[in-house]
Amino acid sequence: MPRPRKKAKHLEVSYDPEKYKRETSTEDFVGHFLVGLFTAFVTALLSQAVSNQINWLIVALVALIAVVVLAIYQMRK
């Protein structure tokens, strides 16, 4: 025969809104978007350069432009 279980007491829950306040977001969504966009673009160009569809100089120039644009964006922020 199964043993009878003890009845659980109800827990008291308190909510302190000051404790759960959201901190200001330090995440840079535009920066993340730009990095993802440039990464995809340079990766596509690398793929085409490996198959000799475009010149490697174009890949280097686009990568340099991407780095310069991101550096300018970070300096202005």
Side-chain angles (χ1 to χ4, degrees):
M1 189 163 172
R3 241 170 75 188
R5 294 185 181 184
K6 293 181 181 178
K7 289 187 178 180
K9 294 182 180 179
H10 293 287
L11 297 175
E12 291 185 22
V13 179
S14 64
Y15 176 71
D16 184 15
E18 295 296 320
K19 185 177 179 181
Y20 298 104
K21 273 193 175 173
R22 196 172 203 188
E23 294 181 20
T24 57
S25 178
T26 59
E27 196 139 0
D28 183 15
F29 293 113
V30 175
H32 286 287
F33 175 74
L34 287 175
V35 168
L37 183 70
F38 289 141
T39 302
F41 194 61
V42 170
T43 303
L45 290 178
L46 280 172
S47 175
Q48 288 184 349
V50 167
S51 64
N52 290 328
Q53 293 179 359
I54 62 171
N55 193 352
W56 282 98
L57 182 61
I58 295 172
V59 177
L61 287 174
V62 170
L64 182 65
I65 290 170
V67 169
V68 168
V69 168
L70 288 172
I72 291 171
Y73 171 75
Q74 289 294 325
M75 286 173 29
R76 290 184 57 136
K77 188 172 178 240

Coordinates of all heavy atoms in Angstrom, one line a residue:
M1 N 0.8 -1.2 0.0 CA 0.0 0.0 0.0 C 0.9 1.2 0.0 O 1.9 1.3 0.8 CB -0.9 0.0 1.2 CG -1.9 1.0 1.2 SD -3.2 0.5 2.4 CE -4.1 1.9 2.4
P2 N 0.6 2.2 -0.9 CA 1.4 3.4 -1.0 C 1.4 4.3 0.3 O 0.4 4.3 1.0 CB 0.9 4.2 -2.2 CG -0.4 3.6 -2.5 CD -0.5 2.3 -1.9
R3 N 2.5 4.9 0.6 CA 2.6 5.8 1.7 C 1.9 7.1 1.4 O 2.0 7.6 0.3 CB 4.1 6.1 2.0 CG 4.5 5.6 3.3 CD 6.0 5.6 3.5 NE 6.4 7.0 3.7 CZ 7.7 7.4 3.7 NH1 8.6 6.5 3.5 NH2 8.0 8.6 3.9
P4 N 1.1 7.6 2.4 CA 0.5 8.9 2.1 C 1.5 10.0 2.1 O 2.5 10.0 2.8 CB -0.4 9.1 3.3 CG 0.0 8.1 4.3 CD 0.8 7.0 3.7
R5 N 1.3 10.9 1.2 CA 2.3 12.1 1.0 C 1.9 13.2 1.9 O 0.7 13.4 2.3 CB 2.2 12.6 -0.4 CG 2.7 11.6 -1.4 CD 2.8 12.3 -2.8 NE 3.3 11.4 -3.8 CZ 3.5 11.7 -5.0 NH1 3.2 12.9 -5.4 NH2 3.9 10.8 -5.8
K6 N 2.9 13.9 2.3 CA 2.7 15.1 3.1 C 2.1 16.2 2.2 O 2.5 16.3 1.1 CB 3.9 15.6 3.8 CG 4.5 14.7 4.8 CD 5.7 15.3 5.4 CE 6.3 14.3 6.5 NZ 7.5 14.8 7.1
K7 N 1.2 17.0 2.7 CA 0.7 18.1 2.0 C 1.8 19.2 1.9 O 2.4 19.6 2.9 CB -0.6 18.7 2.6 CG -1.7 17.8 2.4 CD -3.0 18.4 2.9 CE -4.2 17.5 2.7 NZ -5.4 18.1 3.2
A8 N 2.0 19.8 0.7 CA 2.9 20.8 0.5 C 2.4 22.2 1.0 O 1.2 22.5 0.8 CB 3.3 20.9 -0.9
K9 N 3.2 22.9 1.7 CA 2.8 24.2 2.1 C 2.9 25.2 0.9 O 3.7 25.0 0.1 CB 3.6 24.7 3.3 CG 3.4 23.9 4.5 CD 4.3 24.5 5.6 CE 4.1 23.7 6.9 NZ 5.0 24.2 8.0
H10 N 2.0 26.2 0.9 CA 2.1 27.2 -0.2 C 3.3 28.1 0.0 O 3.5 28.5 1.2 CB 0.8 28.0 -0.2 CG -0.4 27.2 -0.7 ND1 -0.6 26.7 -1.9 CD2 -1.4 26.7 0.1 CE1 -1.7 26.0 -2.0 NE2 -2.2 26.0 -0.8
L11 N 3.9 28.4 -1.1 CA 5.1 29.3 -1.0 C 4.6 30.7 -1.1 O 3.7 31.0 -1.9 CB 6.1 28.9 -2.1 CG 6.7 27.6 -2.0 CD1 7.6 27.4 -3.3 CD2 7.6 27.4 -0.8
E12 N 5.2 31.6 -0.4 CA 4.9 33.0 -0.5 C 5.9 33.6 -1.5 O 7.1 33.4 -1.5 CB 5.1 33.7 0.8 CG 4.0 33.3 1.8 CD 4.2 34.2 3.1 OE1 4.8 35.2 3.0 OE2 3.6 33.7 4.1
V13 N 5.4 34.3 -2.5 CA 6.2 34.9 -3.5 C 6.1 36.4 -3.4 O 5.0 37.0 -3.3 CB 5.7 34.4 -4.9 CG1 6.5 35.1 -6.0 CG2 5.7 32.9 -5.1
S14 N 7.3 37.0 -3.4 CA 7.3 38.5 -3.3 C 8.0 39.0 -4.6 O 8.9 38.3 -5.1 CB 8.1 38.9 -2.1 OG 9.4 38.5 -2.2
Y15 N 7.5 40.1 -5.1 CA 8.1 40.7 -6.3 C 8.6 42.0 -6.0 O 7.9 42.9 -5.5 CB 7.0 40.7 -7.4 CG 7.5 41.4 -8.6 CD1 8.4 40.8 -9.5 CD2 7.0 42.7 -8.9 CE1 8.8 41.4 -10.6 CE2 7.5 43.3 -10.1 CZ 8.4 42.7 -10.9 OH 8.8 43.3 -12.0
D16 N 9.9 42.2 -6.2 CA 10.5 43.5 -6.0 C 10.9 44.1 -7.4 O 11.8 43.6 -8.0 CB 11.8 43.3 -5.2 CG 12.4 44.7 -4.8 OD1 11.8 45.7 -5.0 OD2 13.6 44.6 -4.4
P17 N 10.1 45.1 -7.8 CA 10.4 45.6 -9.2 C 11.7 46.2 -9.3 O 12.3 46.3 -10.4 CB 9.3 46.7 -9.4 CG 8.7 46.9 -8.1 CD 9.0 45.7 -7.2
E18 N 12.3 46.7 -8.3 CA 13.7 47.3 -8.3 C 14.7 46.3 -8.6 O 15.7 46.5 -9.3 CB 14.0 48.0 -7.0 CG 13.1 49.2 -6.7 CD 13.3 50.3 -7.7 OE1 14.5 50.6 -8.2 OE2 12.3 50.9 -8.1
K19 N 14.5 45.1 -8.2 CA 15.5 44.0 -8.4 C 15.5 43.5 -9.8 O 16.5 43.1 -10.3 CB 15.1 42.8 -7.4 CG 16.1 41.7 -7.5 CD 15.7 40.6 -6.5 CE 16.7 39.5 -6.5 NZ 16.3 38.4 -5.6
Y20 N 14.4 43.6 -10.5 CA 14.3 43.0 -11.9 C 14.2 44.1 -12.9 O 13.8 43.8 -14.0 CB 13.0 42.1 -12.0 CG 13.1 41.0 -11.0 CD1 12.4 40.9 -9.9 CD2 13.9 39.9 -11.3 CE1 12.4 39.9 -9.0 CE2 14.0 38.8 -10.5 CZ 13.2 38.8 -9.3 OH 13.3 37.7 -8.5
K21 N 14.7 45.3 -12.6 CA 14.7 46.3 -13.6 C 15.7 46.0 -14.7 O 16.8 45.4 -14.5 CB 15.1 47.7 -13.0 CG 14.0 48.4 -12.5 CD 14.4 49.9 -12.2 CE 13.1 50.6 -11.7 NZ 13.5 51.9 -11.3
R22 N 15.3 46.3 -15.9 CA 16.2 45.9 -17.1 C 17.3 47.0 -17.2 O 17.0 48.2 -17.2 CB 15.3 45.9 -18.3 CG 15.9 45.3 -19.5 CD 14.9 45.2 -20.6 NE 15.4 44.1 -21.4 CZ 14.8 43.8 -22.6 NH1 13.7 44.5 -22.9 NH2 15.2 42.9 -23.3
E23 N 18.5 46.5 -17.4 CA 19.6 47.4 -17.6 C 19.5 48.0 -19.0 O 19.0 47.4 -19.9 CB 20.9 46.7 -17.4 CG 21.1 46.2 -15.9 CD 22.5 45.5 -15.8 OE1 23.3 45.7 -16.6 OE2 22.6 44.8 -14.8
T24 N 20.2 49.1 -19.2 CA 20.2 49.7 -20.5 C 21.0 48.8 -21.4 O 22.0 48.2 -21.0 CB 20.8 51.1 -20.5 OG1 22.1 51.0 -19.9 CG2 20.0 52.1 -19.6
S25 N 20.5 48.6 -22.6 CA 21.1 47.7 -23.6 C 22.4 48.3 -24.1 O 22.4 49.4 -24.6 CB 20.1 47.5 -24.7 OG 20.7 46.6 -25.7
T26 N 23.5 47.6 -24.0 CA 24.7 48.0 -24.5 C 25.0 47.3 -25.8 O 26.1 47.5 -26.4 CB 25.9 47.7 -23.5 OG1 25.9 46.3 -23.3 CG2 25.7 48.5 -22.2
E27 N 24.1 46.5 -26.3 CA 24.3 45.8 -27.6 C 24.1 46.7 -28.8 O 23.2 47.5 -28.8 CB 23.3 44.6 -27.6 CG 23.7 43.6 -28.6 CD 23.5 42.2 -28.1 OE1 23.0 42.0 -27.0 OE2 23.8 41.3 -28.9
D28 N 25.0 46.5 -29.7 CA 25.0 47.4 -30.9 C 24.4 46.6 -32.1 O 25.1 45.8 -32.8 CB 26.4 47.8 -31.2 CG 26.5 48.7 -32.4 OD1 25.5 49.3 -32.8 OD2 27.6 49.0 -32.9
F29 N 23.1 46.7 -32.3 CA 22.5 45.9 -33.3 C 22.9 46.3 -34.7 O 23.0 45.5 -35.6 CB 20.9 46.0 -33.1 CG 20.5 45.3 -31.9 CD1 19.9 46.1 -30.9 CD2 20.6 44.0 -31.7 CE1 19.5 45.5 -29.7 CE2 20.1 43.4 -30.5 CZ 19.6 44.1 -29.5
V30 N 23.0 47.6 -35.0 CA 23.5 48.1 -36.3 C 24.9 47.6 -36.6 O 25.1 47.1 -37.7 CB 23.4 49.6 -36.4 CG1 23.9 50.1 -37.7 CG2 22.0 50.1 -36.1
G31 N 25.7 47.6 -35.6 CA 27.1 47.1 -35.8 C 27.1 45.6 -36.1 O 27.8 45.1 -37.0
H32 N 26.3 44.8 -35.4 CA 26.2 43.4 -35.7 C 25.6 43.1 -37.1 O 26.1 42.2 -37.8 CB 25.3 42.7 -34.6 CG 25.9 42.5 -33.3 ND1 26.9 41.6 -33.0 CD2 25.7 43.2 -32.1 CE1 27.2 41.7 -31.8 NE2 26.5 42.6 -31.2
F33 N 24.6 43.9 -37.5 CA 24.1 43.8 -38.8 C 25.1 44.1 -39.9 O 25.2 43.3 -40.9 CB 22.9 44.7 -39.0 CG 22.3 44.7 -40.3 CD1 21.6 43.6 -40.8 CD2 22.5 45.8 -41.2 CE1 21.0 43.6 -42.1 CE2 22.0 45.7 -42.5 CZ 21.3 44.6 -42.9
L34 N 25.9 45.1 -39.7 CA 26.9 45.5 -40.7 C 28.0 44.4 -40.8 O 28.4 44.1 -41.9 CB 27.5 46.8 -40.4 CG 26.7 48.1 -40.6 CD1 27.4 49.3 -40.1 CD2 26.3 48.2 -42.1
V35 N 28.4 43.9 -39.6 CA 29.4 42.8 -39.6 C 28.9 41.6 -40.4 O 29.6 41.0 -41.2 CB 29.9 42.5 -38.2 CG1 30.7 41.2 -38.2 CG2 30.7 43.7 -37.6
G36 N 27.6 41.2 -40.1 CA 27.0 40.1 -40.8 C 26.9 40.3 -42.3 O 27.2 39.4 -43.1
L37 N 26.5 41.5 -42.6 CA 26.3 41.8 -44.0 C 27.7 41.8 -44.8 O 27.8 41.1 -45.9 CB 25.7 43.2 -44.2 CG 25.4 43.7 -45.6 CD1 24.2 42.9 -46.2 CD2 25.0 45.2 -45.5
F38 N 28.7 42.4 -44.2 CA 30.0 42.4 -44.9 C 30.6 41.0 -44.9 O 31.3 40.6 -45.8 CB 30.9 43.4 -44.2 CG 30.6 44.8 -44.5 CD1 30.7 45.8 -43.5 CD2 30.1 45.2 -45.7 CE1 30.4 47.1 -43.7 CE2 29.8 46.5 -46.0 CZ 29.9 47.5 -45.0
T39 N 30.4 40.2 -43.8 CA 30.9 38.9 -43.8 C 30.3 38.0 -44.9 O 31.0 37.3 -45.6 CB 30.7 38.2 -42.4 OG1 31.3 39.0 -41.4 CG2 31.2 36.8 -42.4
A40 N 29.0 38.1 -45.1 CA 28.3 37.4 -46.1 C 28.8 37.8 -47.5 O 29.1 37.0 -48.4 CB 26.8 37.6 -46.0
F41 N 29.0 39.1 -47.7 CA 29.4 39.6 -49.0 C 30.8 39.2 -49.3 O 31.1 38.7 -50.4 CB 29.3 41.2 -49.0 CG 29.4 41.8 -50.4 CD1 28.4 41.4 -51.3 CD2 30.4 42.7 -50.7 CE1 28.5 42.0 -52.6 CE2 30.5 43.2 -51.9 CZ 29.5 42.9 -52.9
V42 N 31.8 39.3 -48.4 CA 33.1 39.0 -48.6 C 33.3 37.4 -48.8 O 34.0 37.0 -49.6 CB 34.0 39.5 -47.5 CG1 35.4 38.9 -47.6 CG2 34.1 41.0 -47.5
T43 N 32.5 36.7 -48.1 CA 32.5 35.2 -48.2 C 32.0 34.8 -49.6 O 32.6 33.9 -50.3 CB 31.6 34.5 -47.2 OG1 32.1 34.9 -45.9 CG2 31.6 33.0 -47.3
A44 N 31.0 35.5 -50.1 CA 30.5 35.2 -51.5 C 31.6 35.6 -52.5 O 31.8 34.8 -53.5 CB 29.2 36.0 -51.8
L45 N 32.3 36.7 -52.3 CA 33.3 37.1 -53.2 C 34.5 36.1 -53.2 O 35.1 35.8 -54.2 CB 33.8 38.5 -53.0 CG 32.8 39.6 -53.3 CD1 33.3 41.0 -52.9 CD2 32.4 39.6 -54.8
L46 N 34.8 35.6 -52.0 CA 35.9 34.6 -51.8 C 35.5 33.3 -52.6 O 36.4 32.7 -53.2 CB 36.1 34.3 -50.4 CG 37.0 35.3 -49.6 CD1 36.9 34.9 -48.1 CD2 38.4 35.3 -50.1
S47 N 34.3 32.9 -52.5 CA 33.9 31.8 -53.2 C 34.0 31.9 -54.7 O 34.4 31.0 -55.4 CB 32.4 31.5 -52.9 OG 31.9 30.4 -53.6
Q48 N 33.7 33.1 -55.2 CA 33.8 33.3 -56.7 C 35.3 33.5 -57.1 O 35.7 33.1 -58.2 CB 33.1 34.6 -57.0 CG 31.6 34.4 -57.0 CD 30.8 35.6 -57.5 OE1 31.4 36.7 -57.7 NE2 29.5 35.5 -57.8
A49 N 36.1 34.0 -56.2 CA 37.5 34.1 -56.5 C 38.2 32.8 -56.5 O 39.1 32.5 -57.3 CB 38.2 35.1 -55.5
V50 N 37.8 31.9 -55.7 CA 38.4 30.5 -55.6 C 38.1 29.8 -57.0 O 38.9 29.1 -57.5 CB 37.9 29.7 -54.4 CG1 38.2 28.2 -54.5 CG2 38.5 30.3 -53.1
S51 N 36.9 30.0 -57.5 CA 36.5 29.4 -58.8 C 36.9 30.2 -60.0 O 36.5 29.9 -61.1 CB 35.0 29.1 -58.8 OG 34.3 30.3 -58.7
N52 N 37.8 31.2 -59.8 CA 38.4 32.1 -60.8 C 37.3 32.8 -61.6 O 37.5 33.1 -62.8 CB 39.2 31.2 -61.8 CG 40.5 30.8 -61.1 OD1 41.0 31.5 -60.3 ND2 41.0 29.7 -61.5
Q53 N 36.2 33.2 -61.0 CA 35.2 34.0 -61.7 C 35.5 35.5 -61.5 O 35.1 36.3 -62.4 CB 33.8 33.7 -61.1 CG 33.4 32.3 -61.5 CD 32.0 32.0 -60.9 OE1 31.4 32.8 -60.2 NE2 31.5 30.8 -61.1
I54 N 36.2 35.9 -60.5 CA 36.6 37.3 -60.3 C 38.0 37.3 -59.8 O 38.6 36.3 -59.4 CB 35.7 38.1 -59.3 CG1 35.7 37.4 -57.9 CG2 34.2 38.2 -59.8 CD1 35.0 38.3 -56.9
N55 N 38.6 38.5 -59.9 CA 40.0 38.7 -59.5 C 40.1 38.8 -58.0 O 39.2 39.3 -57.3 CB 40.5 39.9 -60.2 CG 42.0 40.1 -60.1 OD1 42.7 39.3 -59.4 ND2 42.5 41.0 -60.8
W56 N 41.2 38.3 -57.4 CA 41.5 38.4 -56.0 C 41.6 39.8 -55.5 O 41.3 40.1 -54.4 CB 42.7 37.6 -55.6 CG 42.5 36.1 -55.6 CD1 42.7 35.2 -56.6 CD2 41.9 35.4 -54.5 NE1 42.3 34.0 -56.2 CE2 41.8 34.1 -54.9 CE3 41.4 35.7 -53.3 CZ2 41.3 33.1 -54.1 CZ3 40.9 34.7 -52.5 CH2 40.8 33.4 -52.9
L57 N 42.0 40.7 -56.4 CA 42.2 42.1 -56.1 C 40.8 42.7 -55.7 O 40.7 43.5 -54.7 CB 42.8 42.9 -57.2 CG 43.0 44.4 -57.0 CD1 44.0 44.5 -55.9 CD2 43.5 45.0 -58.3
I58 N 39.8 42.3 -56.3 CA 38.4 42.8 -56.0 C 38.0 42.3 -54.6 O 37.5 43.1 -53.8 CB 37.4 42.3 -57.0 CG1 37.7 42.9 -58.4 CG2 36.0 42.6 -56.6 CD1 36.9 42.4 -59.5
V59 N 38.3 41.1 -54.2 CA 38.0 40.6 -52.9 C 38.8 41.4 -51.9 O 38.2 41.8 -50.8 CB 38.4 39.1 -52.8 CG1 38.1 38.6 -51.4 CG2 37.6 38.3 -53.8
A60 N 40.1 41.7 -52.1 CA 40.9 42.5 -51.2 C 40.3 43.9 -51.0 O 40.3 44.4 -49.9 CB 42.3 42.5 -51.6
L61 N 39.9 44.5 -52.1 CA 39.4 45.9 -52.1 C 38.1 45.9 -51.3 O 37.9 46.8 -50.5 CB 39.2 46.4 -53.5 CG 40.5 46.8 -54.2 CD1 40.2 47.2 -55.7 CD2 41.2 47.9 -53.5
V62 N 37.2 45.0 -51.6 CA 35.9 45.0 -50.9 C 36.1 44.7 -49.4 O 35.5 45.3 -48.5 CB 34.9 43.9 -51.5 CG1 33.7 43.7 -50.6 CG2 34.6 44.4 -52.9
A63 N 37.0 43.8 -49.0 CA 37.3 43.5 -47.6 C 37.9 44.8 -46.9 O 37.5 45.1 -45.8 CB 38.3 42.4 -47.5
L64 N 38.8 45.5 -47.6 CA 39.3 46.7 -47.1 C 38.3 47.8 -46.9 O 38.2 48.5 -45.9 CB 40.4 47.3 -48.0 CG 41.2 48.5 -47.5 CD1 41.9 48.2 -46.3 CD2 42.1 49.0 -48.6
I65 N 37.4 47.9 -47.9 CA 36.3 48.9 -47.8 C 35.4 48.6 -46.6 O 34.9 49.4 -45.8 CB 35.5 49.0 -49.1 CG1 36.3 49.6 -50.2 CG2 34.2 49.7 -48.9 CD1 35.7 49.5 -51.6
A66 N 35.1 47.3 -46.4 CA 34.2 46.8 -45.3 C 34.9 47.2 -44.0 O 34.2 47.7 -43.0 CB 34.0 45.3 -45.4
V67 N 36.2 47.0 -43.8 CA 36.9 47.3 -42.6 C 36.9 48.8 -42.3 O 36.6 49.3 -41.2 CB 38.3 46.7 -42.6 CG1 39.1 47.3 -41.4 CG2 38.3 45.2 -42.6
V68 N 37.1 49.6 -43.4 CA 37.1 51.0 -43.2 C 35.7 51.5 -42.8 O 35.6 52.4 -41.9 CB 37.6 51.7 -44.5 CG1 37.3 53.2 -44.5 CG2 39.0 51.4 -44.8
V69 N 34.6 51.0 -43.5 CA 33.3 51.4 -43.1 C 33.0 51.1 -41.7 O 32.4 51.9 -40.9 CB 32.2 50.8 -44.1 CG1 30.8 51.0 -43.6 CG2 32.4 51.4 -45.5
L70 N 33.3 49.9 -41.2 CA 33.1 49.5 -39.8 C 33.9 50.4 -38.9 O 33.4 50.7 -37.8 CB 33.4 48.0 -39.6 CG 32.4 47.1 -40.3 CD1 32.9 45.7 -40.2 CD2 31.0 47.2 -39.6
A71 N 35.1 50.7 -39.2 CA 35.9 51.6 -38.4 C 35.3 53.0 -38.2 O 35.3 53.5 -37.2 CB 37.4 51.6 -38.9
I72 N 34.9 53.5 -39.4 CA 34.2 54.8 -39.3 C 33.0 54.8 -38.5 O 32.7 55.7 -37.7 CB 34.0 55.3 -40.8 CG1 35.3 55.6 -41.5 CG2 33.0 56.5 -40.8 CD1 35.1 55.9 -43.0
Y73 N 32.2 53.7 -38.7 CA 30.9 53.6 -37.9 C 31.2 53.6 -36.4 O 30.6 54.2 -35.6 CB 30.2 52.3 -38.3 CG 29.0 52.0 -37.4 CD1 27.8 52.8 -37.5 CD2 29.1 51.0 -36.4 CE1 26.8 52.5 -36.6 CE2 28.0 50.8 -35.6 CZ 26.9 51.5 -35.7 OH 25.8 51.3 -34.9
Q74 N 32.3 52.8 -36.0 CA 32.6 52.7 -34.6 C 33.1 54.0 -34.0 O 32.9 54.3 -32.9 CB 33.7 51.6 -34.4 CG 33.1 50.2 -34.6 CD 32.1 49.8 -33.5 OE1 32.2 50.3 -32.4 NE2 31.1 49.1 -33.9
M75 N 33.9 54.8 -34.8 CA 34.4 56.1 -34.4 C 33.3 57.1 -34.2 O 33.3 57.9 -33.3 CB 35.4 56.6 -35.4 CG 36.7 55.9 -35.3 SD 38.0 56.3 -36.5 CE 37.6 58.0 -36.9
R76 N 32.3 57.1 -35.0 CA 31.2 58.0 -35.0 C 30.2 57.7 -33.8 O 29.5 58.5 -33.3 CB 30.4 58.0 -36.3 CG 31.2 58.7 -37.4 CD 30.3 58.7 -38.6 NE 29.1 59.5 -38.3 CZ 28.6 60.4 -39.1 NH1 29.1 60.7 -40.2 NH2 27.5 61.0 -38.7
K77 N 30.2 56.5 -33.4 CA 29.2 56.0 -32.4 C 29.6 56.5 -31.0 O 30.5 56.7 -30.4 CB 29.2 54.5 -32.3 CG 28.1 54.0 -31.4 CD 28.0 52.5 -31.6 CE 26.9 52.1 -30.7 NZ 27.3 51.2 -29.7

